Amino acid sequence: MEVQTRHSTRRDAVLECLRKHHDHPTADMLYNEIRRDYPNISLGTVYRNLNFFVEHGEAVRIPVTDGQTRFDGNVKPHFHFRCSSCGALLDLNLEDERQLEESLDHPKTDFKGSITGYDLVFTGLCKDCLKKKKETA
Amino acid sequence: MEVQTRHSTRRDAVLECLRKHHDHPTADMLYNEIRRDYPNISLGTVYRNLNFFVEHGEAVRIPVTDGQTRFDGNVKPHFHFRCSSCGALLDLNLEDERQLEESLDHPKTDFKGSITGYDLVFTGLCKDCLKKKKETA
DNA sequence: ATAATTGCAAAGAGTTTGCACAGCA
DNA sequence: TGCTGTGCAAACTCTTTGCAATTAT
């Protein structure tokens, strides 16, 4: 009862575009960019394919409390930072990644369910917004 | 230029109801409960007051990738768990909280902006959903 | 009296979906 | 030919907002 998936230029374009960008684009950002190559692609198709990729483990949703859902084509574990001023969503390299990953992957707890993952986004001001803030202070 | 805030029974009701619950309710959950005491309160008022509390540091939004925004009246740092099956959002007690908090509060990085906080939600199956899964396996 | 707060309903933003058609296997 | 994927637009969900009425100070 497997559902067959079939080759499609639109789906390829969405995944390629998602992987090309490291700014964790929204569906709308991808739509506007892909439209340059496929002028009649629809926003619905972009959403459908993004959801397809998330279901098939080829992309992840990054949770944010406001605005549109951000997608990431890099499914390897890594950390994110979100600027609370401009909304930019960036990859964040930590020096003690191994240790933090260990703590997050295997949290010590008496919780009776099963913990299989986590969503983590650091917040603050990005370089540019921090600079602007200092200038106006 | 300070904006005065004025006492209001509706606002009190929203905050009281939010604090009473430890299940990180949505605006709608609160609305339906508060309506029992104030039948003509509107959903807009609930949203307005929740936003007011978030702005004034009396509540926080918990980021989730799907469904409605969850609110928490407990603004002291603590950890959350979300069941990917039933959507329940629970407080999570960890045994090594101090150490993890330290790593998260002061991440070692060469990032040029300023990191001031983080959003973290552990995911997996809650006790009940884990049980159900085992039974049907 | 003055301005903050509310109820109501409409508007807005983001995302999903039904349907007929296109296109891969 | 089958059935998957798409474009389009409408529907849907969640949240915000304009406005006139209400209410606290």
Side-chain angles (χ1 to χ4, degrees), chain B residues 118-134:
Chain B
Y118 60 88
D119 284 315
L120 171 61
V121 178
F122 288 94
T123 56
L125 293 178
C126 72
K127 189 177 140 192
D128 291 348
C129 289
L130 186 60
K131 194 181 162 198
K132 280 176 201 156
K133 191 190 166 197
K134 282 177 180 170

Side-chain angles (χ1 to χ4, degrees), chain B residues 8 20 70 74 108 118 124:
Chain B
S8 124
K20 187 166 58 185
R70 316 281 302 231
N74 176 8
K108 294 193 189 76
Y118 60 88

Side-chain angles (χ1 to χ4, degrees), chain A residues 2-124:
Chain A
E2 272 293 311
V3 176
Q4 297 294 328
T5 69
R6 188 169 288 195
H7 188 260
S8 125
T9 52
R10 304 302 142 97
R11 182 166 295 162
D12 290 348
V14 174
L15 189 55
E16 191 200 329
C17 193
L18 177 62
R19 285 184 173 159
K20 187 166 59 184
H21 288 274
H22 292 189
D23 58 349
H24 314 86
T26 64
D28 208 59
M29 291 172 182
L30 291 167
Y31 171 60
N32 282 306
E33 176 150 344
I34 296 168
R35 228 166 13 149
R36 294 209 279 264
D37 289 330
Y38 300 89
N40 64 344
I41 193 174
S42 75
L43 183 55
T45 293
V46 175
Y47 272 109
R48 268 187 290 232
N49 281 311
L50 286 171
N51 290 339
F52 175 93
F53 295 136
V54 170
E55 279 166 26
H56 289 74
E58 296 183 81
V60 293
R61 267 185 266 264
I62 303 172
V64 289
T65 48
D66 58 312
Q68 296 164 255
T69 303
R70 316 282 300 233
F71 293 88
D72 194 343
N74 176 8
V75 294
K76 287 187 299 183
H78 61 287
F79 298 103
H80 293 121
F81 168 87
R82 182 172 187 278
C83 176
S84 57
S85 178
C86 70
L89 192 48
L90 311 166
D91 283 337
L92 184 68
N93 296 312
L94 299 184
E95 286 160 26
D96 52 358
E97 248 162 55
R98 280 283 105 69
Q99 189 205 315
L100 184 53
E101 272 174 15
E102 174 64 23
S103 302
L104 294 168
D105 283 335
H106 307 289
K108 294 194 189 75
T109 177
D110 58 357
F111 179 66
K112 294 292 186 293
S114 74
I115 299 175
T116 54
Y118 59 87
D119 284 315
L120 171 62
V121 178
F122 288 94
T123 56

Side-chain angles (χ1 to χ4, degrees), chain B residues 22-124:
Chain B
H22 293 189
D23 58 349
H24 315 85
T26 64
D28 208 59
M29 290 172 181
L30 291 167
Y31 171 60
N32 283 305
E33 176 152 344
I34 296 168
R35 224 158 28 141
R36 293 209 280 265
D37 290 329
Y38 300 89
N40 66 341
I41 193 175
S42 75
L43 183 55
T45 294
V46 174
Y47 272 108
R48 268 187 292 235
N49 281 310
L50 286 171
N51 289 339
F52 175 93
F53 295 136
V54 170
E55 280 167 25
H56 288 76
E58 297 184 83
V60 293
R61 269 184 265 263
I62 303 171
V64 288
T65 49
D66 59 311
Q68 296 164 253
T69 303
R70 316 281 302 231
F71 292 88
D72 194 343
N74 176 8
V75 295
K76 288 188 298 183
H78 62 289
F79 297 103
H80 293 121
F81 169 87
R82 182 172 186 278
C83 177
S84 58
S85 177
C86 70
L89 192 49
L90 311 167
D91 284 337
L92 184 68
N93 296 312
L94 298 184
E95 285 160 26
D96 52 358
E97 247 161 58
R98 280 283 106 70
Q99 189 204 314
L100 184 53
E101 273 173 16
E102 174 65 23
S103 301
L104 294 168
D105 283 335
H106 307 290
K108 294 193 189 76
T109 177
D110 58 358
F111 179 66
K112 294 292 186 294
S114 74
I115 299 175
T116 55
Y118 60 88
D119 284 315
L120 171 61
V121 178
F122 288 94
T123 56

